[in-house]
Amino acid sequence: MKKTRILYLGLILALVSACGPSEKTKQLMQDAKTSFGILPEKMPGSEKDTPARIALGEKLYFEKRLSINDSQSCSSCHGTLGKSAGVDNLPTSPGALGKNGDRNSPTSLNAGFHFVQFWDGRAADLKAQAKGPILNPVEMAMPSEAAVEKKLSEIPEYVDLFAKAFPDQDKKITYDNLAEAIAAFERTLITRDRFDEFQAGNHRALTSEEQKGLETFLSAGCIQCHNGPLLGGNSFRKLGQVNPYENTTDVGRSAITKNDAEKYFFKVPSLRNIALTAPYFHDGKVATLPEAVKKMAYLQLGKELSSEEVDSIVSFLKALSDKNRSN
């Protein structure tokens, strides 16, 4: 009798699972596609990338000899191996000479989809971004482009790799080519998550709790800033639109533009993989995702979210983690 009951319950569960989505879920799936759009298959600029250029860029990304004392690589602050999500999970990162930078290291995953690079947008694309840290005195601290080229030219392996990656150029090892190669590798760092599957029509890709979190995310107004396929990464916004942020040391975008109207403006971070990239904000001063959600609602929307609303949104955000990196 007991065995029959178990079989009967199993049959019911199988039938329920086989059923299609409810009308409410169908509408939510449609709202998700309309509100955010679909993450493209390839990054802008990848059409010119070759296997040789990507292979060179990958080696350079992990190359500590690009720093003044052979201690620091791109990967030191933007780890991508294993479960690493393109960050080092530190508030701010130590450089080659031991001094920490002023800002939290943003993830390199999906970075080529962003409309600009760095928190303040001072680099237009991945190639321009790759040139910055190597010469930054606080980061990798190399003295000049020429010094970088000389160092690489004395390594036979790189002489060969640059020749393969840039066969049509007279001078192979240049700082410009180095940056182009690193950018080519970074253009492969595209992540895929269960939210992509949900948007593509798999209603079971998100749990009922995560679907509720998506609804809360939309209704609370988070989408005002975190929109587009990356759920961010496509605009500048003032941190503290409604209520001021307590850290006023970093003026953000206005340090670049010299425009006081852009004081405390920063690039809106993408929420893809956000559950894996703690701590949060440009200064890395917010330790946990629930704290970040609650604080952002207060700062940007003037809303005091309940614990239930925070937990609901966090459950959705966790579904944005790359399937190969999430636990």
Side-chain angles (χ1 to χ4, degrees), residues 11-279:
L11 180 61
I12 291 175
L13 289 173
L15 288 171
V16 170
S17 179
C19 292
S22 66
E23 290 303 316
K24 181 181 178 181
T25 300
K26 285 181 182 177
Q27 185 59 55
L28 184 61
M29 293 166 75
Q30 184 58 48
D31 289 345
K33 288 178 70 174
T34 302
S35 299
F36 302 108
I38 304 297
L39 195 67
E41 289 295 321
K42 295 183 177 180
M43 286 189 191
S46 62
E47 62 278 355
K48 62 184 177 181
D49 295 335
T50 63
R53 199 168 291 186
I54 292 169
L56 170 61
E58 182 173 11
K59 186 168 179 61
L60 290 168
Y61 187 89
F62 292 94
E63 181 56 79
K64 291 185 177 181
R65 286 175 290 186
L66 290 179
S67 63
I68 187 68
N69 54 7
D70 299 350
S71 68
Q72 200 87 353
S73 70
C74 303
S75 178
S76 299
C77 300
H78 306 281
T80 58
L81 298 177
K83 300 288 185 179
S84 297
V87 297
D88 57 10
N89 295 114
L90 297 173
T92 60
S93 304
L97 302 178
K99 184 179 178 182
N100 277 50
D102 297 325
R103 290 176 179 161
N104 178 257
S105 296
T107 179
S108 56
L109 302 181
N110 302 310
F113 288 126
H114 289 225
F115 81 123
V116 290
Q117 303 297 315
F118 294 113
W119 282 100
D120 54 21
R122 64 185 183 273
D125 53 30
L126 289 178
K127 182 176 178 179
Q129 187 279 328
K131 292 182 177 182
I134 299 171
L135 302 183
N136 187 305
V138 178
E139 297 183 56
M140 298 166 81
M142 286 295 288
S144 67
E145 294 183 8
V148 176
E149 293 172 1
K150 181 177 184 298
K151 196 171 186 180
L152 291 174
S153 296
E154 293 171 351
I155 303 172
E157 184 179 11
Y158 279 117
V159 173
D160 181 56
L161 289 172
F162 271 89
K164 290 177 179 176
F166 301 97
D168 299 329
Q169 297 187 19
D170 293 334
K171 186 179 180 182
K172 318 294 185 184
I173 298 181
T174 68
Y175 198 70
D176 197 66
N177 285 349
L178 171 148
E180 181 58 50
I182 292 175
F185 167 64
E186 289 187 321
R187 282 191 281 266
T188 69
L189 300 178
I190 300 173
T191 66
R192 298 295 173 185
D193 52 54
R194 290 185 290 110
F195 183 55
D196 292 315
E197 295 179 357
F198 184 74
Q199 288 183 302
N202 179 5
H203 67 282
R204 289 188 291 272
L206 298 187
T207 66
S208 57
E209 181 183 3
E210 290 162 349
Q211 290 182 34
K212 181 183 177 184
L214 172 56
E215 291 177 338
T216 308
F217 184 91
L218 293 169
S219 62
C222 307
I223 194 172
Q224 290 181 29
C225 298
H226 294 284
N227 48 51
L230 291 178
L231 288 79
N234 57 1
S235 66
F236 295 112
R237 291 298 179 102
K238 181 180 181 180
L239 181 59
Q241 286 187 158
V242 179
N243 293 299
Y245 184 52
E246 57 268 24
N247 181 6
T248 57
T249 304
D250 190 337
V251 297
R253 179 112 178 109
S254 67
I256 304 298
T257 64
K258 310 304 179 187
N259 181 0
D260 284 345
E262 294 183 290
K263 209 170 184 180
Y264 310 126
F265 274 66
F266 297 90
K267 184 177 69 173
V268 176
S270 163
L271 296 183
R272 298 274 182 171
N273 302 296
I274 195 69
L276 307 176
T277 59

Side-chain angles (χ1 to χ4, degrees), residues 304-324:
E304 291 278 3
L305 296 180
S306 67
S307 296
E308 182 182 359
E309 288 174 317
V310 170
D311 291 344
S312 182
I313 291 173
V314 168
S315 71
F316 163 62
L317 295 181
K318 288 181 177 179
L320 299 175
S321 296
D322 180 35
K323 290 184 291 183
N324 294 322

Side-chain angles (χ1 to χ4, degrees), residues 280-294:
Y280 303 104
F281 290 24
H282 67 281
D283 53 12
K285 291 186 180 297
V286 179
T288 69
L289 189 52
E291 183 186 357
V293 169
K294 186 173 183 65

